[in-house]
Structure formats: C-alpha cells, structure tokens
C-alpha cells in the first residue's frame, strides 16, 4: 500500500521487476533535471511530483518511490481511482495474463475505463462511504453513469461544481494525449480528488450565523495501526481511553435548532438564506428568500436548491485534482495511444451526461 512519509510525501514501494524498474525509469525520464522535451515537461502537470527514491534505514534494500501526496491540501478528501484504456494488459503480456485481465472486466474494451474504487465524504452524516474494485466491475453500460455519479454526491446534493471542474481537468489530459506519439500507457489510472467538506461555508439564517467546523477523521489509531474505512463503519474517532466509536454529526440538529429560534424571533413572513464561500478569492453569494408558510419546519429542500444551482464561476474554481498515476506498464511508441484516448473520451461523455442530467 501507499505509506505516509513524515515530510508530507507518500511512499509507493517499488514493485518486483520488470514493473517496478519500469515505473522508476518512467519517473526518472519525465523528471530528469536536464529534460528539455516539451511533451514530457507538459506531462509533469498531470502527474504527482516525483522526489526520487527512498529506503528506510532499517531496510536499505527496500526501495520506495517518493511522490507528492495529492490529498494533503484537502480537509475531507473524496478520492476515486479510475483505470483508463481499452486494454489493462501490455503488449508483452502472455496469453494467460491477457485472459486473466479480460475476464476481470470484459467491458473494458467497450467502455474504455474501470472504476477501481472510491471514498466519498457525506456532509449530511459526517461519514465516509467506500467502494472497492468489485463495485466498479459490477457497473454496466447502463449503470456506469449512476455508478460514477455516486462519487460526486455529498449526501445532500450532486456536486455539479466538482463534475464541471473534473471535466476540464480530464480534457487537459486528453489534449496532451492527442499531441504526443512517444508513449503508450497500459493499466494506468486517473486519481480524482476533491474537497468534500463545506467547512469554509457560512450559512446565515435570518440574523443567526452558523459556521460549522468539523475535525478531520484520522486514519491512524493511537497505537499507529492503520484504520480502514468500509461500508459498515463510516467515520471513526479514537477516544482518549483507546476505544473506537462512530461519530455522528450534530450539525443538522444544530441547524434546525437555530432555524426554530430564528422563526420565533422574527415577526415578518420571510427568511433570508444566504450561502457564501469565504475560502476562494472570487467570493460567490447566492440569496434565496423563503416564504415562512412554505418552510413547514424543514429548510433542507431550500438548501438543496441553493447548492444545486451554484453559479458557473464556482463550478470552474472548485478545488479538484485529477492526476495520472501507476506507470508500471508504459512503453515507447511512435503512434498515438488510441486506447487511452478512447477511454478518456468515453469518461468525459459520462461526466458530461452527469452534469447535464
């Protein structure tokens, strides 16, 4: 698995030959300090930054690739890994290997991508939902759109701002592939990361301001053991006495309490709901007037309307990363990587359908 280095980078253990050395050679070539190839220099924009190799003092023969932690800047990172291309086996694979890979997901050639897993933060329950590779392999041509849209759902609403920003990022990667004939990529993935929390979002209901701040759930227990999220235990916090307990957000109940208090204090028939994001330079504001008689004690439908209809500038500036990862099967070429291009185009089409519908 991926390890965390104390300096904030991540460590990916080098795979056995020939895969490990091939991935190391790829990074060394792209990040060579003397590199003057414009194609490779542009490719750097779409990869995690590479900081060479590292070995622990206690095991000098164990080699790790030292890479940028793409999730580091996020408070509640939502992560999805999507394998791209029509073939998940390289040109030198044996017949047995080819059959093995094809049997894992027969639709790979037709769809051009495969969801390997996702981890999504739900604001509504202050919890994470995790899906593994079996989830992705269960998706068909008919269900793949809904399957991927799950990654962009906050528990309250579809994050169309993130979908739009993701499309722009993937289109940039497609432009690079359309311009190069040097490399072909097999069994390589795109890593999608976006901010799942709305910690910096302040909701003003009448004259009451609610700024809900949540702590980042840690992935390590006090003893240093790695904690895995699954579909049964969503958010886990370690208590002082070492016990593990599920955490449930009280944000919603607080909001209802404040809403009720505001209703009692106000004598006119309308409330103003203002949502603003103070984290970004170009602050966006959306104001919705809600008639008191239509609230019926439940402000959530109105909240959903606000978040569903974010302005275009918010969609463009959503905090999203899309990076290419996994390069154990990258080979020199003199033609365009049509299989990867096919997968990117199909993925963009699915994302666009999610955004439009």
């Amino acid at each position: 698995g991926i390890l965390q280095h104390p300096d904030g980078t991540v460590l990916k253990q080098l795979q056995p030959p020939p895969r490990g050395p091939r991935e190391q050679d790829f990074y060394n070539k792209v990040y060579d300090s003397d590199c003057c190839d414009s194609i490779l220099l542009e490719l750097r924009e779409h990869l995690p930054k590479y900081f060479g190799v590292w070995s622990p003092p206690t095991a000098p023969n164990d080699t790790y690739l030292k890479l940028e932690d793409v999730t580091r800047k996020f408070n509640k990172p939502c992560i999805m890994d999507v394998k791209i291309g029509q073939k998940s086996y390289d040109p030198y694979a044996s017949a047995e290997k080819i059959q093995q890979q094809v049997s894992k997901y027969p639709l790979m050639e037709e769809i051009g991508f495969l969801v390997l897993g996702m981890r999504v933060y739900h604001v509504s329950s202050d919890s994470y939902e995790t899906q593994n590779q079996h989830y992705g392999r269960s998706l068909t041509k008919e269900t793949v759109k809904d399957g991927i849209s799950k990654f962009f759902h906050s528990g309250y609403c579809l994050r169309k701002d993130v979908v739009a920003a993701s499309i722009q990022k993937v289109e940039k990667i497609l432009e690079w592939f359309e311009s190069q004939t040097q490399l072909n990529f097999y069994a390589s993935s795109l890593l999608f990361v976006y901010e799942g929390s709305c910690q910096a979002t302040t909701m003003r209901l009448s004259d009451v301001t609610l700024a809900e701040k949540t702590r980042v759930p840690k992935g390590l227990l006090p003893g240093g053991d790695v904690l895995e999220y699954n579909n049964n235990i969503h958010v886990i916090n370690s208590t002082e006495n070492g016990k593990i307990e599920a955490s449930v957000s009280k944000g919603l109940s607080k909001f209802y309490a404040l809403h009720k208090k505001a209703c009692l204090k106000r004598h006119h028939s309308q409330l103003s709901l203002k949502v603003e994001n103070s984290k970004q330079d170009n602050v966006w504001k959306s104001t919705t007037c809600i008639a008191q008689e239509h609230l019926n004690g439940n402000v959530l439908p109105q909240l959903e309307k606000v978040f569903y209809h974010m302005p275009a500038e918010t969609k463009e500036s959503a905090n999203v990363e899309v990076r290419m990862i996994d390069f154990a099967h990258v080979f020199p070429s003199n033609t365009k990587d049509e299989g990867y291009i096919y997968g990117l185009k199909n993925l963009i089409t699915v994302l666009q359908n999610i955004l439009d519908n």
Side-chain angles (χ1 to χ4, degrees):
I2 301 295
L3 304 178
Q4 183 82 47
H5 191 280
D7 67 6
T9 59
V10 293
L11 303 170
K12 179 182 180 181
Q13 189 164 25
L14 210 62
Q15 299 177 68
R19 292 174 296 167
R22 190 187 295 134
E23 184 165 30
Q24 183 181 352
D25 288 344
F26 169 81
Y27 275 113
N28 286 337
K29 182 178 180 181
V30 175
Y31 282 93
D32 188 337
S33 58
D34 296 326
C35 177
C36 56
D37 186 329
S38 60
I39 292 294
L40 298 184
L41 291 175
E42 185 181 344
L43 177 60
R44 292 181 186 180
E45 300 174 16
H46 307 301
L47 310 183
K49 292 183 178 66
Y50 174 61
F51 302 101
V53 294
W54 179 87
S55 296
T58 54
N61 293 327
D62 290 348
T63 305
Y64 294 83
L65 299 173
K66 204 163 184 283
L67 302 167
E68 172 191 6
D69 182 358
V70 180
T71 71
R72 184 174 172 81
K73 67 179 181 179
F74 296 94
N75 179 31
K76 302 281 190 181
C78 297
I79 306 166
M80 179 170 66
D81 185 336
V82 183
K83 185 183 289 187
I84 305 293
Q86 291 179 284
K87 298 176 180 178
S88 56
Y89 54 88
D90 63 52
Y92 302 98
S94 64
E96 182 182 0
K97 179 69 172 179
I98 294 173
Q99 180 57 38
Q100 179 194 50
Q101 290 298 313
V102 170
S103 64
K104 285 182 178 179
Y105 193 57
L107 282 175
M108 190 78 179
E109 186 170 359
E110 186 174 354
I111 294 179
F113 61 86
L114 166 63
V115 176
L116 292 179
M118 65 175 70
R119 182 168 173 258
V120 190
Y121 176 73
H122 287 170
V123 179
S124 55
S125 58
D126 187 23
S127 65
Y128 278 96
E129 177 185 355
T130 302
Q131 301 290 351
N132 61 22
Q133 57 185 327
H134 298 293
Y135 171 81
R137 288 175 184 155
S138 70
L139 299 178
T140 65
K141 289 185 295 181
E142 292 73 29
T143 63
V144 68
K145 188 191 85 170
D146 290 339
I148 289 181
S149 68
K150 184 188 289 283
F151 174 65
F152 299 102
H153 206 285
S154 71
Y156 281 130
C157 64
L158 183 69
R159 288 289 304 275
K160 289 197 171 188
D161 58 322
V162 176
V163 181
S166 297
I167 291 172
Q168 292 178 1
K169 300 274 186 180
V170 178
E171 285 176 339
K172 288 291 185 183
I173 295 173
L174 176 60
E175 286 177 17
W176 182 83
F177 272 90
E178 293 279 19
S179 70
Q180 70 91 24
T181 56
Q182 293 186 29
L183 299 169
N184 277 6
F185 294 72
Y186 301 91
S188 184
S189 293
L190 291 184
L191 186 71
F192 291 76
V193 189
Y194 73 88
E195 180 55 66
S197 76
C198 50
Q199 178 177 341
T201 300
T202 300
M203 288 173 283
R204 289 193 180 92
L205 183 61
S206 180
D207 55 347
V208 181
T209 300
L210 171 65
E212 194 69 43
K213 296 202 172 186
T214 56
R215 292 178 298 175
V216 183
K218 301 296 181 183
L220 295 176
L221 297 178
D225 295 327
V226 176
L227 188 65
E228 296 231 354
Y229 293 89
N230 56 44
N231 292 331
N232 299 318
I233 303 174
H234 296 294
V235 173
I236 297 179
N237 292 325
S238 55
T239 58
E240 291 181 1
N241 59 9
K243 291 182 180 179
I244 303 171
E245 60 184 19
S247 170
V248 180
S249 172
K250 296 183 175 63
L252 194 57
S253 60
K254 285 182 184 178
F255 190 88
Y256 278 126
L258 288 172
H259 165 59
K260 186 176 181 181
K261 181 180 178 183
C263 291
L264 294 173
K265 289 176 69 175
R266 303 289 282 190
H267 299 292
H268 54 74
S269 63
Q270 292 199 339
L271 292 173
S272 175
L273 176 66
K274 186 175 293 185
V275 181
E276 70 179 45
N277 190 323
S278 59
K279 213 170 194 179
Q280 300 174 11
D281 293 331
N282 47 345
V283 177
W284 61 270
K285 296 181 180 180
S286 175
T287 303
T288 304
C289 289
I290 308 170
Q292 181 62 41
E293 57 268 26
H294 297 309
L295 276 171
N296 296 325
N298 188 353
V299 78
L300 280 181
Q302 303 299 334
L303 269 178
E304 288 187 358
K305 286 180 183 178
V306 172
F307 282 103
Y308 263 115
H309 300 288
M310 289 181 176
E313 60 267 22
T314 308
K315 297 173 184 177
E316 293 172 2
S317 58
N319 197 359
V320 179
E321 292 286 354
V322 180
R323 305 288 186 92
M324 297 169 61
I325 59 171
D326 298 336
F327 306 111
H329 302 276
V330 179
F331 297 91
S333 174
N334 54 11
T335 61
K336 286 185 179 182
D337 191 341
E338 296 295 349
Y340 203 105
I341 290 173
Y342 177 88
L344 289 176
K345 287 182 176 179
N346 269 11
L347 180 57
I348 289 171
T349 298
V350 171
L351 293 174
Q352 192 63 54
N353 286 338
I354 294 172
L355 186 63
D356 294 341
N357 298 330

